[in-house]
Structure formats: structure tokens, C-alpha cells
Amino acid sequence: MNIGASMFGIFDSGLGGLTVVKEVLKRLPNRPIIYFGDTARVPYGNKSEEVIKKYANEGVEFLLSRGAQIIVLACNTMSAIAFETLKKKYDAPIFEVISPAVKKAVQVTKNGRIGVIGTRATVGSGVYEKKLKIENCKLKIYSEPCPLFVPIVEEGWVGQKETEKIVKEYLKPLQKAKIDTLILGCTHYPILKKTIKKVMGRGVKLVDSAEEVAKEVAKFFETSGFSFLGTRRECKIFVSDKTDYLESWVGDWLGGDVKVEKVTLG
Ligand code: DGL
């Protein structure tokens, strides 16, 4: 692979952003992608704003230095805390995952009661509430941080009974709130979609921020005349810490033999 070629740069604190990679590949199968997962420092969601901004900046710098021309912050935490600063700093188009999910949730809800789950940093930032209220001030928003979901996903504990118990515990207040729409406000959470769906029941529609940002990226690509990205399907995965387990997890999730390379930032 020519690492100097023009690519989509997709960035998350860990492996959750691979849910975005998968969705982008579905829509733009022949575009090269470079992914960075900061696996040595995940999770970001319980860190301070200052640290999240610093890490976000380092990840974006890395992707740009490796030829990324469009950056997708495949992470709600960075989108909530660091997006505005990054947008001002860099010329490259940068996508965040929150606005597309907000748009979708507003279209989907019938009773105007929307739940949001995310990391402590995302929920604490209040960004989903703010953006949803701008769309419709009458909406009732119920937010719950679910800090254990990220380590559960990074550990691959997807189908376990214990996982279902934890999901039930976190989602109890949202069940009581009679929401009809639930935003998965963390890119790790689509990996737990089946369990979340089972717990919330059929009456609650799940909005997947990974899916929604991928639609937005594909639309931008088709309409903006941004034509100088490569035209070969290539997917290069970089992480800041690597184990055999991680490599096999990535291969299982993306399908096929995916090469994962460890890099040290800075
Ligand atoms: N996948 C991330 C998000 O969407 C990250 C979580 C974390 O690092 O805590 O928020």
C-alpha cells in the first residue's frame, strides 16, 4: 500500500470506530481508509477535556501525516469535546458523529421522548441535548452514561449473560422514561446492539451514530466534487498498542486478513 496516497482518515480512542469503518466501506467500497485506534490510551470517555483535546489533536496529526485528506472523528467523546477546536485548526474536512445521529433521531421519534447513551464525557458535555433541542425545543431528552460498555466491547464480552445484566442496569431509567428512540452515542455501542435491542424491546428504535455519519460522509463524497481520493479498496489499521487478541478481533470484525500496525505517537 502506498501510505502517501490520499485516504479517508478514521479515528477513535480504540476499536469502536471500526463500526464506522464498516459502514463507510459499505457505502464507498473502493476508497482507501486509514484508521487509527488509540488502544494504549482508551477509554477517552472518562478523561478530562484537556486530555481528550490533546489526544484528539495527536491522532488527527498522525492521520494527516500519513496522507489522510478527510478526517472522520469516529468517536462521540472527541466529537463532543474536541471537534470545534480541531475544525478551526485544520483545513481538511473533519466529520463528527453527533449531528448526523441527532438529525436521524428527530426524524424517527414519534412521541418526542429520546434517550441518549454515551461515555461520561459525552453525556456530561450535554451536546446531544443542546443539538436535539435546537432541532425541536419540545423534545424530552433522557441521557445516561454507560461507562462500562467501552471496556466490555474492547474485551469482546458481547454475548455474555453478565453483559446483558449490566446493559439492563444502565438502561433501567430509560425504560421508565418511556422513550421511543435511543441514540447509541458512542461508536463502541453498535457492537452491543443486539443486547441493547433485546433489553429496550421492539418499541424503541435505535439510532446508530456510526451508520449515520457514514451516510453523511458518502453524501459529501458524492456531492462535493472531492475526487482526489484513491480508488482502490485498502484498509490500513494503526493502533498505539497491539496484542494478538486485538489483531484477531479486528480481523473478525472487518472480515478477512487485516494487517494491524503499532505506532507510537509524538
Ligand atoms: N468510541 C468512543 C465514543 O464514541 C469512545 C469511548 C471512549 O474512549 O471512552 O465515545
Side-chain angles (χ1 to χ4, degrees):
M1 175 178 178
N2 175 9
I3 222 59
S6 309
M7 292 171 272
F8 273 116
I10 302 185
F11 172 27
D12 181 39
S13 57
L15 301 178
L18 293 175
T19 58
V20 176
V21 171
K22 210 170 185 172
E23 295 297 333
V24 169
L25 282 173
K26 266 191 216 164
R27 289 161 180 88
L28 298 166
N30 295 317
R31 300 291 169 184
I33 288 177
I34 175 175
Y35 180 85
F36 175 61
D38 197 0
T39 48
R41 304 193 288 199
V42 68
Y44 284 7
N46 54 13
K47 296 196 167 58
S48 67
E49 283 200 14
E50 190 191 345
V51 166
I52 294 168
K53 281 184 182 162
K54 178 179 178 287
Y55 289 176
N57 198 58
E58 287 173 4
V60 170
E61 287 282 349
F62 167 73
L63 288 170
L64 293 173
S65 75
R66 296 297 182 113
Q69 287 190 309
I70 297 176
I71 301 289
V72 183
L73 293 179
C75 171
N76 286 260
T77 306
M78 278 189 268
S79 299
I81 307 295
F83 172 68
E84 294 300 333
T85 318
L86 295 170
K87 201 174 74 175
K88 277 185 207 138
K89 184 168 177 191
Y90 297 104
D91 291 333
I94 303 183
F95 287 85
E96 46 88 19
V97 279
I98 293 168
S99 308
V102 163
K103 255 192 248 164
K104 180 71 177 184
V106 171
Q107 282 165 18
V108 160
T109 185
K110 294 221 160 48
N111 70 3
R113 305 170 80 86
I114 298 177
V116 180
I117 51 174
T119 64
R120 278 210 182 94
T122 301
V123 170
S125 75
V127 66
Y128 268 106
E129 255 153 27
K130 216 185 301 161
K131 286 186 188 253
L132 284 161
K133 291 277 189 190
I134 289 172
E135 294 292 324
N136 179 351
C137 63
K138 290 195 181 125
L139 290 172
K140 293 255 183 287
I141 321 296
Y142 303 88
S143 306
E144 286 299 325
C146 303
L148 286 176
F149 286 5
V150 169
I152 283 173
V153 167
E154 296 277 328
E155 274 303 315
W157 272 45
V158 175
Q160 268 84 342
K161 269 196 226 116
E162 292 78 2
T163 301
E164 192 174 323
K165 271 192 188 160
I166 293 167
V167 170
K168 268 190 188 149
E169 195 56 37
Y170 275 135
L171 301 186
K172 237 184 232 163
L174 298 177
Q175 287 173 318
K176 282 195 191 133
K178 307 242 177 300
I179 57 165
D180 74 347
T181 306
L182 176 60
I183 299 177
L184 307 181
C186 172
T187 52
H188 282 71
Y189 298 179
I191 293 166
L192 298 173
K193 217 184 221 173
K194 246 187 170 166
T195 314
I196 296 172
K197 224 182 171 93
K198 188 174 165 197
V199 169
M200 291 309 290
R202 278 213 201 132
V204 177
K205 196 113 184 111
L206 304 187
V207 174
D208 176 342
S209 59
E211 212 175 296
E212 297 312 316
V213 74
K215 285 183 202 161
E216 199 105 317
V217 167
K219 197 162 90 197
F220 167 83
F221 198 76
E222 282 151 16
T223 57
S224 68
F226 206 96
S227 58
F228 48 97
L229 286 180
T231 52
R232 271 180 42 211
R233 183 188 178 108
E234 290 172 21
C235 191
K236 183 85 181 164
I237 311 288
F238 291 95
V239 291
S240 52
D241 191 25
K242 185 176 106 163
T243 57
D244 291 344
Y245 171 73
L246 181 144
E247 201 156 25
S248 73
W249 195 102
V250 174
D252 288 349
W253 180 252
L254 291 180
D257 196 14
V258 183
K259 197 167 172 345
V260 181
E261 195 176 311
K262 184 181 165 214
V263 286
T264 305
L265 296 193

